[in-house]
Short mmCIF file of all heavy atoms in Angstrom, two decimals:
data_model
loop_
_atom_site.label_atom_id
_atom_site.label_comp_id
_atom_site.label_asym_id
_atom_site.label_seq_id
_atom_site.Cartn_x
_atom_site.Cartn_y
_atom_site.Cartn_z
N TYR P 84 0.68 -2.78 -13.21
CA TYR P 84 1.36 -2.24 -12.07
C TYR P 84 1.88 -3.43 -11.08
O TYR P 84 2.24 -3.22 -9.98
CB TYR P 84 0.38 -1.38 -11.22
CG TYR P 84 1.19 -0.40 -10.35
CD1 TYR P 84 2.01 0.63 -10.94
CD2 TYR P 84 1.06 -0.37 -8.98
CE1 TYR P 84 2.71 1.50 -10.15
CE2 TYR P 84 1.82 0.49 -8.18
CZ TYR P 84 2.59 1.48 -8.78
OH TYR P 84 3.32 2.33 -8.01
N TYR P 97 10.02 7.33 -12.87
CA TYR P 97 9.70 6.21 -11.98
C TYR P 97 10.24 4.91 -12.50
O TYR P 97 10.17 4.71 -13.71
CB TYR P 97 8.15 6.13 -11.85
CG TYR P 97 7.56 4.93 -11.09
CD1 TYR P 97 7.20 5.02 -9.78
CD2 TYR P 97 7.45 3.71 -11.81
CE1 TYR P 97 6.70 3.85 -9.14
CE2 TYR P 97 6.94 2.54 -11.18
CZ TYR P 97 6.56 2.73 -9.81
OH TYR P 97 6.07 1.62 -9.17
N ARG P 170 6.54 -4.34 -3.87
CA ARG P 170 7.13 -3.50 -4.90
C ARG P 170 8.20 -2.65 -4.29
O ARG P 170 8.16 -2.18 -3.18
CB ARG P 170 6.06 -2.57 -5.51
CG ARG P 170 5.19 -3.24 -6.53
CD ARG P 170 4.33 -2.22 -7.32
NE ARG P 170 5.08 -1.56 -8.31
CZ ARG P 170 5.46 -2.07 -9.55
NH1 ARG P 170 5.06 -3.25 -9.87
NH2 ARG P 170 6.19 -1.38 -10.35
N MET P 172 10.33 0.84 -5.31
CA MET P 172 10.28 1.93 -6.25
C MET P 172 11.44 2.88 -6.18
O MET P 172 11.98 3.10 -5.08
CB MET P 172 9.05 2.80 -5.96
CG MET P 172 7.66 2.20 -6.32
SD MET P 172 7.05 0.86 -5.28
CE MET P 172 6.46 1.77 -3.86
N TYR P 174 12.63 6.80 -7.59
CA TYR P 174 12.25 8.07 -8.35
C TYR P 174 13.50 8.84 -8.67
O TYR P 174 14.20 9.17 -7.78
CB TYR P 174 11.37 8.87 -7.42
CG TYR P 174 10.06 8.13 -6.95
CD1 TYR P 174 10.10 7.35 -5.79
CD2 TYR P 174 8.89 8.11 -7.75
CE1 TYR P 174 8.94 6.70 -5.41
CE2 TYR P 174 7.80 7.42 -7.40
CZ TYR P 174 7.84 6.65 -6.24
OH TYR P 174 6.74 5.93 -5.81
N LEU P 186 5.40 10.88 -9.27
CA LEU P 186 4.33 9.85 -9.33
C LEU P 186 2.96 10.67 -9.13
O LEU P 186 2.81 11.36 -8.15
CB LEU P 186 4.48 8.86 -8.15
CG LEU P 186 3.42 7.74 -8.23
CD1 LEU P 186 3.47 6.83 -9.43
CD2 LEU P 186 3.54 6.80 -6.97
N HIS P 189 -3.07 9.67 -7.42
CA HIS P 189 -3.83 8.43 -7.66
C HIS P 189 -4.35 7.93 -6.37
O HIS P 189 -3.86 8.33 -5.27
CB HIS P 189 -2.96 7.35 -8.34
CG HIS P 189 -1.92 6.83 -7.36
ND1 HIS P 189 -0.73 7.60 -7.08
CD2 HIS P 189 -1.71 5.77 -6.58
CE1 HIS P 189 0.01 7.01 -6.27
NE2 HIS P 189 -0.54 5.84 -5.94
N ASP P 191 -4.82 4.07 -4.39
CA ASP P 191 -4.45 2.62 -4.62
C ASP P 191 -5.76 1.86 -4.88
O ASP P 191 -6.73 2.13 -4.18
CB ASP P 191 -3.71 2.08 -3.38
CG ASP P 191 -2.37 2.71 -3.22
OD1 ASP P 191 -1.95 3.56 -4.12
OD2 ASP P 191 -1.58 2.53 -2.23
N THR P 196 -2.27 -0.89 1.69
CA THR P 196 -0.85 -0.79 1.27
C THR P 196 -0.03 -0.43 2.60
O THR P 196 -0.52 0.37 3.40
CB THR P 196 -0.73 0.41 0.32
OG1 THR P 196 -1.57 0.14 -0.79
CG2 THR P 196 0.76 0.53 -0.12
N LEU P 198 3.70 0.86 3.40
CA LEU P 198 4.78 1.39 2.69
C LEU P 198 5.95 1.92 3.59
O LEU P 198 5.66 2.42 4.71
CB LEU P 198 4.26 2.56 1.83
CG LEU P 198 5.31 3.27 0.90
CD1 LEU P 198 4.67 3.40 -0.48
CD2 LEU P 198 5.56 4.67 1.44
N SER P 199 7.16 1.71 3.14
CA SER P 199 8.36 2.27 3.84
C SER P 199 9.05 3.17 2.84
O SER P 199 9.25 2.81 1.68
CB SER P 199 9.22 1.08 4.34
OG SER P 199 10.42 1.60 4.76
N GLN P 200 9.50 4.30 3.41
CA GLN P 200 10.11 5.24 2.48
C GLN P 200 11.60 5.53 3.03
O GLN P 200 11.81 5.43 4.25
CB GLN P 200 9.44 6.55 2.32
CG GLN P 200 8.98 7.15 3.61
CD GLN P 200 8.16 8.48 3.39
OE1 GLN P 200 8.23 9.09 2.26
NE2 GLN P 200 7.41 8.96 4.42
N LEU P 206 6.35 12.22 -0.32
CA LEU P 206 4.96 11.63 -0.47
C LEU P 206 3.97 12.64 0.18
O LEU P 206 4.15 13.07 1.26
CB LEU P 206 5.00 10.31 0.33
CG LEU P 206 3.68 9.53 0.37
CD1 LEU P 206 3.06 9.25 -1.03
CD2 LEU P 206 3.81 8.20 1.21
N PHE P 228 -2.12 2.85 3.57
CA PHE P 228 -3.14 3.50 2.76
C PHE P 228 -4.32 2.46 2.64
O PHE P 228 -4.10 1.26 2.37
CB PHE P 228 -2.65 3.67 1.32
CG PHE P 228 -1.75 4.89 1.13
CD1 PHE P 228 -0.45 4.80 0.95
CD2 PHE P 228 -2.32 6.20 1.20
CE1 PHE P 228 0.35 5.90 0.78
CE2 PHE P 228 -1.53 7.30 1.10
CZ PHE P 228 -0.17 7.15 0.87
N HIS P 246 -3.00 10.34 -3.39
CA HIS P 246 -1.68 10.62 -3.00
C HIS P 246 -0.79 10.80 -4.21
O HIS P 246 -1.13 10.36 -5.28
CB HIS P 246 -1.14 9.66 -1.95
CG HIS P 246 -1.28 8.27 -2.30
ND1 HIS P 246 -2.42 7.56 -2.26
CD2 HIS P 246 -0.32 7.36 -2.78
CE1 HIS P 246 -2.21 6.33 -2.61
NE2 HIS P 246 -0.97 6.14 -2.94
N ARG P 247 0.39 11.36 -3.98
CA ARG P 247 1.34 11.59 -5.15
C ARG P 247 2.82 11.69 -4.46
O ARG P 247 2.91 11.83 -3.28
CB ARG P 247 1.06 12.86 -5.85
CG ARG P 247 1.27 14.09 -5.06
CD ARG P 247 0.91 15.37 -5.75
NE ARG P 247 1.21 16.56 -4.90
CZ ARG P 247 0.92 17.76 -5.33
NH1 ARG P 247 0.35 18.05 -6.44
NH2 ARG P 247 1.20 18.85 -4.44
N VAL P 248 3.76 11.67 -5.39
CA VAL P 248 5.16 11.84 -4.96
C VAL P 248 5.75 13.02 -5.72
O VAL P 248 5.66 13.12 -6.93
CB VAL P 248 6.03 10.60 -5.18
CG1 VAL P 248 7.48 10.81 -4.73
CG2 VAL P 248 5.46 9.44 -4.43
N ARG P 256 14.89 9.14 -4.74
CA ARG P 256 14.11 8.59 -3.62
C ARG P 256 13.77 7.19 -3.88
O ARG P 256 13.52 6.78 -5.04
CB ARG P 256 12.87 9.46 -3.49
CG ARG P 256 11.88 9.01 -2.41
CD ARG P 256 10.71 10.01 -2.28
NE ARG P 256 9.80 9.59 -1.18
CZ ARG P 256 8.86 8.72 -1.29
NH1 ARG P 256 8.65 8.09 -2.46
NH2 ARG P 256 8.13 8.45 -0.28
N TYR P 257 13.78 6.39 -2.86
CA TYR P 257 13.44 5.01 -2.87
C TYR P 257 12.31 4.68 -1.89
O TYR P 257 12.25 5.28 -0.81
CB TYR P 257 14.59 4.11 -2.56
CG TYR P 257 15.74 4.06 -3.55
CD1 TYR P 257 16.71 5.12 -3.49
CD2 TYR P 257 15.83 3.09 -4.53
CE1 TYR P 257 17.70 5.04 -4.47
CE2 TYR P 257 16.82 3.11 -5.47
CZ TYR P 257 17.84 4.12 -5.46
OH TYR P 257 18.83 4.12 -6.36
N SER P 258 11.41 3.73 -2.22
CA SER P 258 10.37 3.31 -1.25
C SER P 258 10.10 1.81 -1.62
O SER P 258 10.40 1.37 -2.68
CB SER P 258 9.16 4.17 -1.33
OG SER P 258 8.57 4.06 -2.63
N PHE P 259 9.55 1.22 -0.67
CA PHE P 259 9.05 -0.17 -0.91
C PHE P 259 7.68 -0.39 -0.23
O PHE P 259 7.42 0.34 0.75
CB PHE P 259 10.08 -1.32 -0.58
CG PHE P 259 10.43 -1.37 0.84
CD1 PHE P 259 9.62 -2.09 1.78
CD2 PHE P 259 11.63 -0.87 1.27
CE1 PHE P 259 10.02 -2.12 3.12
CE2 PHE P 259 12.02 -0.98 2.60
CZ PHE P 259 11.23 -1.60 3.49
N PHE P 262 1.58 -4.41 -1.19
CA PHE P 262 0.23 -4.06 -1.62
C PHE P 262 -0.69 -5.30 -1.56
O PHE P 262 -0.41 -6.30 -2.24
CB PHE P 262 0.29 -3.60 -3.16
CG PHE P 262 1.02 -2.27 -3.35
CD1 PHE P 262 2.32 -2.36 -3.67
CD2 PHE P 262 0.29 -1.14 -3.41
CE1 PHE P 262 3.04 -1.12 -3.94
CE2 PHE P 262 0.97 0.05 -3.62
CZ PHE P 262 2.29 0.01 -3.93
O1 AKG E 1 6.66 5.79 -3.28
C1 AKG E 1 5.75 6.16 -2.62
O2 AKG E 1 6.00 6.84 -1.52
C2 AKG E 1 4.35 6.06 -3.01
C3 AKG E 1 4.05 4.94 -3.96
C4 AKG E 1 2.69 4.82 -4.28
O3 AKG E 1 1.82 5.55 -3.94
C5 AKG E 1 2.26 3.61 -5.08
O4 AKG E 1 3.12 2.92 -5.65
O5 AKG E 1 0.97 3.39 -5.26
#
Side-chain angles (χ1 to χ4, degrees):
Y84 205 65
Y97 171 99
R170 281 190 76 77
M172 284 77 77
Y174 301 92
L186 182 65
H189 68 282
D191 291 356
T196 304
L198 181 130
S199 171
Q200 48 181 344
L206 179 58
F228 282 109
H246 51 282
R247 67 181 182 184
V248 178
R256 177 174 182 276
Y257 291 85
S258 62
F259 62 80
F262 292 90

